[in-house]
Amino acid sequence: MARFTSLEELRPSPMMVCTFVLASYFFVTAGVAYDIINEPPAVGAHTDPETGAVKPITFMPYRLNGQFILEGVSGGFFYTLGGVGIILLDLSRDKNKSTLFRNFYMMLGFACAVLSYITCMIFIRIKMPSYMQ
């Protein structure tokens, strides 16, 4: 059995804590608890009334309290991407980094946050077509 001389040896690194928090944030926003309890299918199917062909659908339309597995995973990914963008924007304020890295973090963080916002708004419009119109 290992003996630790101080509590400093037991303390995880800040990057480990950040990774754990981001991973748990992804699982919460992806709706993993909902997926485990309700066991929805990965994707749905829609029959085209004209041709009779069955087409896969990724988003469960007109149901804000229901989701397919792939819908939850993609939504959770983009929520997490937005969070990473905000973290990168915070890292761009570090005065100890060079201007090149600060500008790179700022552009990448802004791009991640904007891409995440736009994609989540597209997801909402797919889910609820008449929302905010």
Side-chain angles (χ1 to χ4, degrees):
M1 181 170 182
R3 290 196 158 194
F4 297 103
T5 58
S6 69
L7 290 177
E8 291 293 323
E9 295 177 18
L10 292 174
R11 180 178 296 171
S13 69
M15 203 62 193
M16 175 87 69
V17 173
C18 182
T19 303
F20 176 73
V21 168
L22 272 176
S24 61
Y25 180 71
F26 170 77
F27 287 125
V28 167
T29 57
V32 172
Y34 173 85
D35 292 341
I36 291 172
I37 293 169
N38 293 328
E39 297 178 0
V43 293
H46 174 70
T47 305
D48 189 8
E50 295 176 6
T51 62
V54 177
K55 296 180 181 178
I57 57 172
T58 309
F59 290 88
M60 193 177 288
Y62 304 109
R63 289 203 43 210
L64 287 178
N65 60 348
Q67 71 178 18
F68 295 125
I69 292 174
L70 195 58
E71 175 183 356
V73 169
S74 60
F77 171 76
F78 282 107
Y79 285 149
T80 307
L81 183 68
V84 168
I86 292 171
I87 290 171
L88 288 173
L89 285 173
D90 181 56
L91 288 176
S92 72
R93 299 179 59 233
D94 187 8
K95 300 290 183 191
N96 296 328
K97 300 282 185 188
S98 69
T99 306
L100 177 68
F101 281 114
R102 289 172 52 197
N103 289 338
F104 177 71
Y105 284 157
M106 189 180 310
M107 287 188 301
L108 188 61
F110 185 74
C112 287
V114 168
L115 176 71
S116 173
Y117 175 77
I118 290 172
T119 307
C120 289
M121 290 306 292
I122 289 171
F123 286 176
I124 288 174
R125 287 195 178 100
I126 291 171
K127 191 114 172 118
M128 296 296 288
S130 61
Y131 180 70
M132 303 251 325
Q133 289 183 6

